[in-house]
Structures are given as structure tokens and as C-alpha cells.
Amino acid sequence: MHVIDWAIAQQDPAIGITPQFARHLGPVGSELSERVSAAIRAYPCDVLFVHRDSESESLEKRQSEIASAFTELTHSYVPIIPMRMTEAWLLSDEHAIRSAAGNPNGRTGLGIPGKREWERTKNPKQILFDALKAASERNARALKKFSPDRQRLRVAELTTDFSGLRGLASFDQFEATLKSKLFGEK
């Protein structure tokens, strides 16, 4: 939601939005078309944002899957497809990572690869978790009580500028589609 809110504000800060996170859309593993229909029924909206991590699939394959889910619907949608997994999009703000780890002024290296690697790395979640642990600067005993999984959610909340993601194919595609859907531009 934070990435979506930020991206919309970048297009036009005056756009009034009421974001809703669609939950309880059927059992895990149900068809995407069923979840999309359930989301539209339960959460009426002008534009539905559909998130699918690419995982091991190509951006194009995931776009096709999402488009197929809308073949019988006339609803407007914007696909959000981070390469591999969403955590790749959370590597852009070192200060947010440090703050989420509870140590905003820390100086320890976080081991985050360069931007060109974020969409290529096989496990961005592990890179983010390792960065959160390093950023905490806690000793081994204290790290046993530290939950990088919980803190990962804070990274998105604490990131105030996602422009560091520009130049990543998946993010650029998201922004272009968003602009097209909001303003009819290509």
C-alpha cells in the first residue's frame, strides 16, 4: 500500500484516494480470477491494484496471468509485479531499514547489493532479513529475539521516497501502467 500511495502522489498529489487492502478473498491457492472477482465485490473501487511477485516467472508471464483474470471483467486494474519478490523493492532505503531495525543512526554495513542486482538476486527476502539483522547491531543473544519478518513490514512504512526504485524494469512498468490508468497516457 505504501508504494501505491507514494506512486499516486507522485503522479498527482491532489488525487483523493481511499486505499483498502483486500483480505479474505478465498482459500490460498484459489484461482486469481476468483480472487479478483471477490476483491471487486467486497471492495468496490475505481482501480484494482493486483500484486503478484514474479518469483521464478517472467514479468510478461505474470502480466498475462493478471490480464487473463480480467478477461470477463470491465474493471480497471494496475498490476504490481516485483521481480522475484516484494522484498526486492524494500532494499532501496537504507535509513528505513536501519529505522525498522530500531537503530536509525547505525553505521554497520548492511550487505545490500547494488541496485542492478535487486531484481536478479534469487532471494531478496534473505538479503533484507540479513540487512535488518546487521542494522540492528544486536549481539547474537539479542538477535534470537529479533524478528526480521515483523520488521520487514516497517521498512515499507518508513520508506518515504520510493524513487530509488526507478530504473528497475518491474517498478518502471508499474509506474507507466499507473499513469496510463489514471490519466489515459502511455
Side-chain angles (χ1 to χ4, degrees), residues 20 32 34-35 51 63 66 68 78 82 93 100 104 110 129 131 138 164 169 174 177:
Q20 299 179 73
L32 180 59
E34 294 170 16
R35 292 192 316 267
H51 171 261
Q63 287 171 327
I66 293 170
S68 292
V78 174
D93 189 333
L110 302 184
F129 284 11
R138 297 178 186 207
F174 161 65
T177 304

Side-chain angles (χ1 to χ4, degrees), residues 1-64:
M1 295 293 290
H2 300 286
V3 174
I4 295 169
D5 293 345
W6 179 87
I8 290 171
Q10 295 304 298
Q11 298 300 318
D12 185 349
I15 290 179
I17 61 170
T18 305
Q20 299 179 73
F21 187 81
R23 297 182 192 277
H24 313 295
L25 302 177
V28 173
S30 59
E31 291 294 320
L32 180 59
S33 59
E34 294 170 16
R35 292 192 316 267
V36 163
S37 293
I40 292 169
R41 281 192 309 274
Y43 302 92
C45 57
D46 295 319
V47 178
L48 183 67
F49 290 80
V50 181
H51 171 261
R52 294 272 303 191
D53 287 342
S54 73
E55 296 178 1
S56 61
E57 301 294 343
S58 70
L59 183 60
E60 294 76 19
K61 180 155 193 304
R62 289 296 191 216
Q63 287 171 327
S64 177

Side-chain angles (χ1 to χ4, degrees), residues 35-183:
R35 292 192 316 267
V36 163
S37 293
I40 292 169
R41 281 192 309 274
Y43 302 92
C45 57
D46 295 319
V47 178
L48 183 67
F49 290 80
V50 181
H51 171 261
R52 294 272 303 191
D53 287 342
S54 73
E55 296 178 1
S56 61
E57 301 294 343
S58 70
L59 183 60
E60 294 76 19
K61 180 155 193 304
R62 289 296 191 216
Q63 287 171 327
S64 177
E65 289 173 0
I66 293 170
S68 292
F70 282 87
T71 54
E72 296 183 20
L73 302 171
T74 58
H75 212 81
S76 186
Y77 69 95
V78 174
I80 306 169
I81 310 167
M83 295 306 292
R84 300 283 182 211
M85 52 188 72
T86 303
E87 286 79 5
W89 283 12
L90 299 179
L91 298 173
S92 69
D93 189 333
E94 183 177 312
H95 187 263
I97 292 169
R98 291 184 188 283
S99 296
N103 190 12
N105 298 318
R107 295 285 174 235
T108 298
L110 302 184
I112 297 172
K115 180 178 181 175
R116 292 174 12 124
E117 298 302 312
W118 297 348
E119 292 190 315
R120 296 180 194 164
T121 185
K122 291 188 185 213
N123 195 345
K125 182 186 289 187
Q126 190 60 54
I127 292 170
L128 180 62
F129 284 11
D130 291 345
L132 283 163
K133 289 176 188 177
S136 75
E137 297 185 15
R138 297 178 186 207
N139 63 33
R141 185 175 187 173
L143 274 177
K144 289 180 182 178
K145 297 178 184 175
F146 181 75
S147 172
D149 191 43
R150 187 176 313 125
Q151 303 312 5
R152 138 184 82 157
L153 302 174
R154 294 280 299 144
V155 175
E157 292 172 9
L158 295 169
T159 300
T160 58
D161 182 358
F162 289 95
S163 63
L165 297 174
R166 290 186 175 135
L168 298 179
S170 60
F171 187 79
D172 291 348
Q173 181 68 46
F174 161 65
E175 275 200 308
T177 304
L178 175 64
K179 188 173 189 177
S180 173
K181 296 295 179 170
L182 292 181
F183 304 107

